[in-house]
């Protein structure tokens, strides 16, 4: 083992274990801090969801007041999207991208650390909203004006919410620049654009989306802050501003945001399925370029969130057709994953279960999306629980399941140990069961006319049954997450040692040791295809797979 | 099983792999161009707000009665800023020829021109006779020109740093990235001003 140079040059105040992590610019350490802290926020945001479900378990309950219920839904959405989902993906990306392209680190390691700590500060400011006079922000995660304006939300909580999002946004923006430069400039020898792993392709598409849409939400939030604090009237109709403008700006970001979340999950699944099907991915280029296609089209569909605003049939029709177009590149991916599974030598280890579960559940979310993309149908379903069910199918069924697939898949790489397979399977089945119990009934609730964001409802017919089932499902999901935590903690301490490549996978991160050394690689093999390790195994006369 | 795959792990010795250069453009330049792209989107959002206000107010004339804009003062500012784009280009070309005096003169001139622009804009603000609180018009006017002014300020900060470093002799024909990066930013700020000027003052 080489001498660890930095031990000799570190100033003494950096010597402790904590300061070693806090001052680290190593992409693996930064990635792990992202993942840990994002997971803490996942538990936090999940607890808010449990409180929401408790309040709605039966009609006429008074666990939460109207105000605190609004704060719960607002903060649940915001925390899950901005403090859990985006940072967790940034963490997985941070950990994997340099390893996958055979690089020593990200292009700008110190900028990387800056992104991380701006995110932390942003998270504190955002959650500080809870401690503000008048309570946390209550205008929903969309913060539509005039509801979030000075007249209806005069409390400080809304301002802290805005400032926190600004900081988190800056963090994501810097991160996206870092990812793109890393992938453009730092690929190892022989790794042309059609040889980079599909997860890296998904990070390219995601980073482009972040780069081009975060500035728009930043502008919207800045103008909202000015409306609230400086007396301007960008979004206030009384002063000649436009509330619809806010919605345009918000959704120009808000819709691509969905793909910012789900594209890396697509990338993870595209890595996991070939490994556990012992086959090359079906249609590498189609999978890679459909990510870019999704990114591109997702920037011209924002109006489908605004069908009921009154854009007119012309614009509504345009946004409807554009939305249908997204189904094409997405469908290409689903087809390719299915074709990869077809006649594969399948082993259903936990990562594979989550990956296949993701394809199935995301497909349901995608199909209900096609339903509501039809604007006359949306007139009926807009802002109902059908929408809540739809986007939770895409976000949990798509992204969260994809993330779990990735966390199990790369757990041996990140920790050097194997997770517990039995607990992993319990986690999968309980989680998907709980998920289905929670959100299938919400489709029905929406069709029956239950609006989202209401804190109580009438004692009538099936409303109570569906809501109760939904609440039970939510608690099952919580139990599943608890099992996951137990699994991670136990396995990290005392799981069996994993070799550097326990899955016989094909991409470069498995060439490094588990966990990788500070400098990642002693050497990197020349990359001659998108499956460099399989090439290596063949060259060395190992078993012939795929 | 994995031992096979990693049999040659030590074959090339303990050295880290060679520095990667999968692009001919240096990383900081790629990063800067990407940052500029996101800046363009930021300005785009402010333009969207501007045109939304302009359309939704539905006034016959723009600026709406009784507001007026000092078009010629802004034209003077435009000329100043466009000139500064040439001076920063001159500074960069000078250091590429190892002409340090030209670099310092170019940077200094650019800084002064930028400062003049900001001072004129500040003076304009005090004499306009309307504030950001005056309807969508006032909000979007100050929003757009203010966002640009903020960018000029950031550009001036970068130029000041580059100037000090130039005086201290940090740059040479081979090493002048510290001039090139603020230069890219400055050109962007200039181009944005031309768009802002055309939109807000001319049409």
């Amino acid at each position: 083992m080489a001498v660890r140079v930095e031990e000799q040059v570190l100033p003494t105040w950096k010597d402790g274990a904590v300061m070693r992590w806090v001052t680290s610019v190593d992409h693996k350490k930064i990635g792990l801090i992202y993942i840990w802290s994002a997971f803490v926020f996942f538990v936090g945001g999940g607890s808010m969801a449990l409180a929401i479900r408790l309040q709605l378990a039966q009609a006429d309950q008074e666990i939460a007041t109207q105000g605190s219920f609004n704060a719960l839904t607002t903060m649940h959405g915001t925390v899950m999207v901005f403090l859990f989902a985006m940072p967790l993906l940034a963490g997985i990306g941070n950990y994997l991208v340099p390893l996958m392209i055979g690089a020593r680190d990200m292009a700008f390691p110190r900028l990387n650390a800056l992104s991380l700590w701006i995110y932390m500060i942003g998270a504190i400011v955002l959650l500080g909203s809870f401690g503000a006079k008048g309570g946390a922000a209550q205008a929903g995660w969309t913060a539509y004006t005039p509801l979030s304006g000075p007249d209806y939300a005069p409390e400080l909580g809304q301002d802290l919410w805005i400032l926190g999002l600004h900081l988190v946004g800056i963090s994501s923006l810097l991160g996206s620049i870092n990812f793109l430069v890393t992938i453009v400039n730092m690929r190892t020898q022989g790794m042309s654009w059609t040889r980079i792993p599909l997860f890296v392709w998904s990070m390219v598409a995601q980073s482009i989306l972040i780069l081009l849409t975060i500035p728009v939400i930043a502008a919207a939030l800045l103008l909202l802050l000015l409306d609230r604090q400086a007396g301007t009237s960008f979004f206030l109709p009384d002063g000649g501003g436009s509330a619809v403008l806010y919605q345009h700006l918000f959704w120009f970001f808000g819709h691509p945001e969905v793909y910012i979340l789900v594209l890396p999950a697509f990338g993870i699944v595209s890595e996991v399925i070939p490994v556990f099907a012992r086959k090359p991915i079906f249609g590498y280029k189609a999978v890679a370029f459909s990510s870019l296609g999704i990114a591109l089209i997702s920037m011209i569909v924002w109006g489908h969130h605004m069908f009921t605003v009154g854009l007119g049939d012309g614009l509504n029709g345009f946004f409807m057709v554009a939305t249908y177009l997204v189904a094409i590149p997405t469908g290409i991916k689903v087809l390719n994953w299915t074709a990869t599974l077809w006649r594969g030598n399948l082993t259903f280890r936990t990562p594979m279960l989550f990956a296949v579960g993701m394809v199935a559940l995301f497909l349901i979310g995608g199909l209900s999306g096609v339903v509501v993309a039809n604007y006359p149908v949306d007139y009926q379903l807009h802002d109902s629980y059908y929408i809540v069910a739809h986007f939770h199918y895409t976000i949990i069924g798509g992204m969260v399941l994809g993330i779990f697939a990735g966390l199990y898949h790369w757990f041996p790489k990140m920790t050097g140990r194997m997770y517990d397979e039995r607990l992993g399977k319990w986690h999968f089945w309980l989680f998907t069961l709980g998920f289905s119990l929670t959100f299938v009934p919400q489709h029905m609730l929406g069709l029956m006319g239950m609006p989202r964001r209401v804190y109580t409802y009438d004692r009538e017919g099936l409303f109570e049954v569906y809501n109760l089932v939904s609440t039970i499902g939510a608690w099952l999901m919580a139990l599943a997450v608890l099992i996951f935590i137990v699994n991670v903690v136990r396995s990290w301490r005392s799981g069996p040692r994993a070799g550097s490549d326990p899955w016989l996978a094909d991409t470069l991160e498995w060439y490094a040791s588990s966990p990788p050394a500070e400098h990642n690689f002693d050497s990197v093999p020349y990359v001659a295809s998108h499956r460099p390790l399989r090439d290596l195994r063949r060259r060395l006369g190992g078993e012939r797979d795929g | 099983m994995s031992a096979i795959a990693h049999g040659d792990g030590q074959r090339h010795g303990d050295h880290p792999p060679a520095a990667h250069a999968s692009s001919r453009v240096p990383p900081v330049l790629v990063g800067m161009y990407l940052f500029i792209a996101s800046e363009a989107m930021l300005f785009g959002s402010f333009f969207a707000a501007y045109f939304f206000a302009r359309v939704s107010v539905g006034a016959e004339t723009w600026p709406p009665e009784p507001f007026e804009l000092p078009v010629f003062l802004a034209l003077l500012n435009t000329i100043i800023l466009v000139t500064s784009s040439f001076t920063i280009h001159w500074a960069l070309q000078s250091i590429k020829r190892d002409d340090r005096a030209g670099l310092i003169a170019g940077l200094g001139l650019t800084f002064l021109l930028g400062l003049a622009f900001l001072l004129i804009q500040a003076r304009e603000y005090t004499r306009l006779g309307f504030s950001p609180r005056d309807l969508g018009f006032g909000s979007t006017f100050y929003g757009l020109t203010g966002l640009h002014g903020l960018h000029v300020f950031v550009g001036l900060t970068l130029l000041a740093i580059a100037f000090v470093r130039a005086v201290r002799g940090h740059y040479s024909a081979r090493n002048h990235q510290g001039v090139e990066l603020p230069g890219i930013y400055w050109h962007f700020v200039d181009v944005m001003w031309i768009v802002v000027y055309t939109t807000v003052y001319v049409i």
Side-chain angles (χ1 to χ4, degrees):
Chain A
M1 197 62 214
V3 182
R4 298 178 59 142
V5 180
E6 88 277 19
E7 279 178 36
Q8 298 159 1
V9 295
L10 275 180
T12 46
W13 62 274
K14 281 186 178 177
D15 230 11
V18 175
M19 287 315 279
R20 222 166 237 281
W21 283 84
V22 171
T23 59
S24 176
V25 292
D26 174 33
H27 72 98
K28 298 181 290 299
K29 283 204 172 96
I30 289 175
L32 286 178
I33 301 176
Y34 264 124
I35 293 173
W36 286 336
S37 39
F39 195 79
V40 170
F41 291 123
F42 176 63
V43 173
S47 312
M48 295 177 208
L50 290 178
I52 291 169
R53 284 314 322 167
L54 269 189
Q55 164 68 19
L56 293 176
Q58 288 180 304
D60 300 327
Q61 294 207 103
E62 294 191 3
I63 298 167
T65 61
Q66 190 165 3
S68 63
F69 186 86
N70 287 344
L72 277 175
T73 50
T74 302
M75 295 306 277
H76 164 71
T78 313
V79 165
M80 284 305 204
V81 170
F82 293 98
L83 301 191
F84 155 61
M86 289 175 79
L88 208 145
L89 295 169
I92 296 180
N94 246 304
Y95 200 98
L96 291 177
V97 166
L99 285 167
M100 282 182 156
I101 62 173
R104 164 71 176 80
D105 205 315
M106 297 282 282
F108 308 119
R110 280 183 292 177
L111 186 70
N112 205 16
L114 183 71
S115 304
L116 171 69
W117 295 108
I118 291 182
Y119 152 62
M120 290 292 180
I121 297 168
I124 293 168
V125 173
L126 187 68
L127 291 175
S129 177
F130 273 113
K133 202 177 163 199
Q138 296 185 12
W141 88 281
T142 49
Y144 273 10
T145 54
L147 198 56
S148 58
D151 297 333
Y152 298 95
E155 298 89 3
L156 191 63
Q158 192 69 41
D159 297 300
L160 287 174
W161 183 89
I162 291 170
L163 292 172
L165 282 198
H166 263 306
L167 290 168
V168 176
I170 290 170
S171 159
S172 297
L173 189 68
L174 296 177
S176 74
I177 292 176
N178 212 342
F179 277 123
L180 284 171
V181 177
T182 305
I183 298 166
V184 169
N185 281 61
M186 309 274 288
R187 282 168 286 131
T188 189
Q189 288 182 321
M191 189 171 271
S192 61
W193 280 101
T194 50
R195 291 176 190 167
I196 62 178
L198 287 166
F199 175 73
V200 178
W201 261 118
S202 72
M203 290 303 291
V204 172
Q206 187 221 25
S207 299
I208 291 174
L209 279 181
I210 291 181
L211 188 76
L212 297 182
T213 61
I214 287 281
V216 180
I217 184 77
L221 292 174
L222 179 62
L223 299 184
L224 178 60
L225 192 66
L226 288 174
D227 275 1
R228 293 172 56 79
Q229 298 296 340
T232 58
S233 41
F234 289 100
F235 302 135
L236 305 176
D238 292 345
S242 165
V244 177
L245 169 65
Y246 177 83
Q247 299 189 17
H248 277 295
L249 291 178
F250 181 85
W251 287 116
F252 185 85
F253 151 82
H255 193 78
E257 171 68 17
V258 178
Y259 294 96
I260 290 172
L261 300 184
V262 89
L263 276 172
F266 286 172
I268 290 170
V269 168
S270 306
E271 295 294 336
V272 171
I273 286 182
V275 169
F276 291 92
R278 308 309 310 156
K279 273 178 70 185
I281 186 88
F282 180 88
Y284 170 93
K285 283 184 185 169
V287 177
F289 298 149
S290 61
S291 293
L292 293 181
I294 290 173
L296 200 72
I297 300 172
S298 76
M299 280 193 278
I300 54 163
V301 302
W302 76 90
H304 69 218
H305 296 267
M306 302 165 58
F307 281 150
T308 55
V309 164
L311 299 176
D313 281 337
L315 271 179
N316 276 355
F318 168 79
F319 284 122
M320 175 176 82
V321 174
T323 306
Y324 287 155
L325 284 181
V326 184
I328 296 173
T330 315
I332 289 175
K333 280 193 190 295
V334 174
L335 176 87
N336 282 298
W337 292 325
T338 318
T340 309
L341 291 170
W342 184 254
R343 300 193 132 185
N345 190 1
L346 307 181
T347 38
F348 283 96
R349 305 291 295 265
T350 310
M352 181 66 155
L353 283 176
F354 273 104
V356 174
M358 182 274 194
V359 177
L361 293 182
F362 181 78
L363 187 62
I364 297 175
L367 291 175
S368 62
V370 173
V371 172
V372 286
N374 191 324
Y375 70 91
V377 176
D378 183 74
Y379 286 166
Q380 190 64 32
L381 296 173
H382 190 86
D383 260 357
S384 76
Y385 258 85
Y386 191 90
I387 301 294
V388 177
H390 156 67
F391 71 71
H392 279 95
Y393 257 89
T394 59
I395 300 292
I396 300 182
M399 189 204 69
V400 176
L401 255 59
I403 282 180
F404 278 132
L407 289 179
Y408 279 109
H409 186 62
W410 284 290
F411 186 83
K413 179 52 62 186
M414 292 174 179
T415 64
R417 293 175 185 276
M418 289 304 288
Y419 61 85
D420 185 322
E421 192 67 50
R422 201 170 49 94
L423 286 181
K425 288 197 165 122
W426 269 100
H427 172 202
F428 172 77
W429 289 110
L430 261 184
F431 193 81
T432 41
L433 176 70
F435 171 77
S436 306
L437 282 181
T438 312
F439 293 106
V440 169
Q442 293 191 5
H443 288 102
M444 276 80 104
L445 283 173
L447 290 169
M448 286 160 62
M450 179 160 168
R452 67 193 282 202
R453 292 175 179 159
V454 290
Y455 82 109
T456 188
Y457 50 89
D458 285 338
R459 210 174 272 285
E460 198 180 313
L462 286 168
F463 272 96
E464 281 198 298
V465 181
Y466 284 143
N467 270 301
L468 187 62
V469 172
S470 188
T471 302
I472 293 170
W475 282 88
L476 277 185
M477 284 165 79
L479 182 64
V481 172
L482 200 65
I483 292 175
F484 172 70
I485 295 172
V486 169
N487 195 352
V488 167
V489 172
R490 265 181 34 183
S491 309
W492 204 315
R493 282 157 131 197
S494 56
R497 296 270 176 199
S500 47
D501 188 5
W503 308 127
L504 284 180
D506 299 334
T507 39
L508 279 182
E509 78 273 24
W510 301 103
Y511 190 72
S513 57
S514 299
E518 186 98 12
H519 60 282
N520 288 355
F521 300 100
D522 291 330
S523 65
V524 182
Y526 185 87
V527 176
S529 77
H530 70 273
R531 307 172 73 197
L533 288 205
R534 176 258 203 176
D535 296 343
L536 193 65
R537 283 197 295 272
R538 290 198 140 186
R539 240 187 4 258
L540 296 174
E543 96 272 30
R544 302 170 71 96
D545 64 307
Chain B
M1 55 183 181
S2 54
I4 300 166
H6 299 279
D8 67 346
Q10 299 298 315
R11 203 167 56 190
H12 308 290
D14 284 331
H15 303 291
H20 301 286
S22 48
S23 162
R24 269 169 292 179
V25 189
V28 277
L29 280 188
V30 179
M32 193 66 193
Y33 288 131
L34 291 171
F35 179 65
I36 296 287
S38 80
E39 287 275 52
M41 293 303 289
L42 184 65
F43 271 95
S45 315
F46 276 71
F47 278 112
Y50 174 82
F51 281 111
F52 231 87
R54 198 163 162 168
V55 172
S56 71
V57 166
E60 297 240 325
T61 57
W62 194 265
E65 304 282 338
F67 304 121
E68 261 188 81
L69 293 174
V71 180
F72 285 101
L73 195 65
L75 180 65
L76 176 68
N77 248 350
T78 310
I79 294 168
I80 289 175
L81 217 49
V82 170
T83 313
S84 76
S85 242
F86 286 99
T87 53
I88 186 103
H89 186 68
W90 172 46
L92 183 62
Q93 294 307 315
S94 300
I95 193 61
K96 280 183 179 168
R97 292 190 307 267
D98 234 350
D99 172 8
R100 209 161 283 164
L103 169 73
I104 293 170
L107 280 177
L109 256 175
T110 313
F111 182 85
L112 290 178
L113 287 167
L115 193 64
F117 174 91
L118 263 195
L119 291 176
I120 291 174
Q121 195 178 33
R123 193 174 167 78
E124 181 194 335
Y125 276 7
T126 58
R127 308 209 165 182
L128 275 173
F130 59 88
S131 82
R133 292 161 188 255
D134 286 318
L135 298 174
F137 168 73
S139 298
T140 50
F141 172 83
Y142 279 100
L144 209 41
T145 55
L147 179 76
H148 181 268
L150 205 64
H151 278 77
V152 174
F153 179 77
V154 172
L156 282 180
T157 314
L158 297 178
L159 285 173
I161 295 169
F163 182 76
V164 171
R165 291 191 63 192
V167 171
R168 290 188 181 176
H170 287 191
Y171 302 122
S172 65
R174 293 183 62 185
N175 174 18
H176 50 260
Q177 230 158 33
V179 185
E180 208 171 351
L181 290 177
I184 294 171
Y185 189 82
W186 193 253
H187 287 310
F188 168 74
V189 171
D190 286 357
V191 170
M192 272 344 280
W193 175 253
I194 293 173
V195 184
V196 171
Y197 174 71
T198 315
T199 317
V200 175
Y201 293 89
V202 180
I203 59 172

